[in-house]
Amino acid sequence: MQMPLLDFKIYILFGFPGAGKGTFAQALKEKGYIHVSTGDILREEVKKQTPIGLKYKREIESASNLLPKNIIQKIILDKIIMLIERRENLILDGFPKTIEQAKYLNKLIEKYSLNQNIHIIYLDVPIDLALARIQARITCSECGKIYNLLTIKPKTNGKCDVCEALLVQRAFIKGSFCLTRL
Ligand SMILES: [Zn+2]
């Protein structure tokens, strides 16, 4: 049996988009935590021009369905395992999202004896407040910079100030969030 690795923490953030997970994660990042975000990992793949990255880019541009869940899952799990083995302080945001992912995470918790390391945070905000925040928020599809249509507008409509890439907005579709083209 493996010894518990008690010298690091893993925060798992839950809550609607717009609940404040990003703000919470930012505060932990300033303390040296690594933010494992599905969006950031996929943007990294785009930057490295991997086959998955290129596919993801095409899907954003055509506003079609997101990548198959199993591909996204594999990329994220590989990253999480690598960081756990390095005993990094982690923030998981947007993972686990499904029962299957939660079961897999459970296996990791057992395998690495992580019971003492995991902290689960659920950010509970009224749905209309979360919606209002989300409707005003747009994100760069390449570098991940976040804008707000009310407070931090981009200089050119729909384009990132930093890298000129397409800005995308999350919207409600059939009860879940997805990316839409502006
Ligand atoms: Zn950008």
Side-chain angles (χ1 to χ4, degrees):
M1 205 182 112
Q2 242 171 319
M3 289 290 287
L5 311 170
L6 291 176
D7 51 346
F8 71 106
K9 285 184 181 173
I10 301 173
Y11 279 96
I12 303 179
L13 305 185
F14 288 107
F16 274 116
K21 296 195 295 297
T23 311
F24 193 94
Q26 191 54 42
L28 287 173
K29 267 160 87 176
E30 281 161 20
K31 295 181 177 193
Y33 278 73
I34 295 177
H35 187 197
V36 181
S37 128
T38 314
D40 286 349
I41 291 172
L42 287 172
R43 275 188 289 273
E44 218 175 277
E45 296 290 316
V46 172
K47 211 180 266 178
K48 285 193 238 153
Q49 302 210 323
T50 63
I52 289 163
L54 293 174
K55 194 165 179 212
Y56 177 64
K57 192 163 188 249
R58 274 199 304 276
E59 297 206 4
I60 289 179
E61 284 166 357
S62 63
S64 64
N65 284 329
L66 291 175
L67 280 172
K69 283 198 182 74
N70 55 348
I71 297 180
I72 294 180
Q73 190 166 305
K74 173 138 187 13
I75 300 174
I76 294 163
L77 282 171
D78 287 352
K79 179 113 184 180
I80 291 172
I81 292 168
M82 187 260 286
L83 292 168
I84 286 176
E85 287 181 348
R86 274 169 36 190
R87 302 184 187 198
E88 298 278 4
N89 287 318
L90 297 185
I91 314 156
L92 303 188
D93 176 4
F95 190 94
K97 207 165 229 170
T98 62
I99 303 271
E100 194 196 351
Q101 291 175 356
K103 281 183 181 164
Y104 197 90
L105 190 64
N106 237 353
K107 279 186 201 155
L108 284 187
I109 291 171
E110 272 174 31
K111 183 180 172 197
Y112 292 94
S113 306
L114 296 173
N115 276 327
Q116 307 288 318
N117 307 70
I118 300 268
H119 302 266
I120 293 172
I121 308 282
Y122 175 62
L123 295 162
D124 189 15
V125 295
I127 183 79
D128 43 345
L129 176 60
L131 254 182
R133 287 181 183 165
I134 280 303
Q135 278 164 356
R137 185 193 299 169
I138 46 179
T139 313
C140 175
S141 56
E142 293 244 352
C143 72
K145 185 174 163 64
I146 294 170
Y147 297 84
N148 186 296
L149 292 171
L150 304 171
T151 50
I152 325 157
K153 292 182 190 173
K155 289 190 187 106
T156 314
N157 256 350
K159 269 191 179 177
C160 177
D161 293 350
V162 182
C163 64
E164 297 196 329
L166 190 68
L167 298 177
V168 291
Q169 186 174 34
R170 281 185 286 188
F172 268 122
I173 289 188
K174 289 178 188 161
S176 64
F177 286 92
C178 75
L179 290 166
T180 52
R181 191 172 180 156
L182 278 184

